[in-house]
């Protein structure tokens, strides 16, 4: 593992994980309303998010930088795997919001 890790690359990886979990939840949850809400949340989070500066952190501090996000990913995995319709609705919206936010933080999309 490299000695230094880009914060934007961490944001991109977290965004990809959130997006995957949101897609799984949308596919498992019944109804177009869930999908429409998840898409709206992702677009809203992306539109209002901020891009973080691209700086490096020591590889030993990855968990410190992403700890809370990893807990949210774990909750999303649990909701996707064993959750009922309520949990899937929650997971689709929360994971979509987090995905939009993290992908904007990573610098994906159009530059201003």
């Amino acid at each position: 593992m490299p000695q230094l890790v880009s914060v934007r690359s961490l944001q991109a990886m977290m965004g990809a994980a959130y997006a995957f979990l949101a897609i799984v939840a949308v596919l498992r949850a019944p109804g177009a309303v869930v999908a429409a809400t998840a898409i709206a949340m992702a677009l809203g989070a992306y539109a209002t998010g901020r891009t973080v500066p691209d700086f490096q952190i020591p590889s030993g501090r990855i968990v410190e930088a992403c700890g809370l996000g990893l807990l949210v990913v774990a909750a999303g995995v649990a909701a996707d795997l064993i959750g009922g319709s309520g949990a899937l609705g929650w997971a689709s919206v929360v994971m979509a919001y987090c995905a939009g936010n993290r992908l904007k933080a990573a610098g994906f999309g159009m530059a201003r």
Side-chain angles (χ1 to χ4, degrees):
M1 183 173 249
Q3 294 295 335
L4 295 174
V5 179
S6 166
V7 170
R8 280 196 181 172
S9 66
L10 290 174
Q11 296 294 333
M13 287 186 270
M14 293 298 290
Y18 289 137
F20 175 76
L21 291 170
I23 290 168
V24 169
V26 166
L27 292 175
R28 289 195 61 223
V33 173
V34 171
T37 304
I39 291 169
M41 290 298 288
L43 292 175
Y46 183 85
T48 59
R50 302 178 105 193
T51 302
V52 297
D54 194 15
F55 59 92
Q56 308 285 317
I57 62 169
S59 59
R61 300 188 80 179
I62 290 174
V63 174
E64 186 178 330
C66 299
L68 184 58
L70 293 172
L71 290 175
V72 174
V73 166
V77 168
D80 282 355
L81 291 177
I82 59 174
S85 62
L88 290 171
W90 169 87
S92 65
V93 171
V94 171
M95 295 300 128
Y97 177 83
C98 291
N101 198 308
R102 294 301 98 215
L103 293 175
K104 178 67 175 246
F108 283 99
M110 298 185 322
R112 289 185 190 191

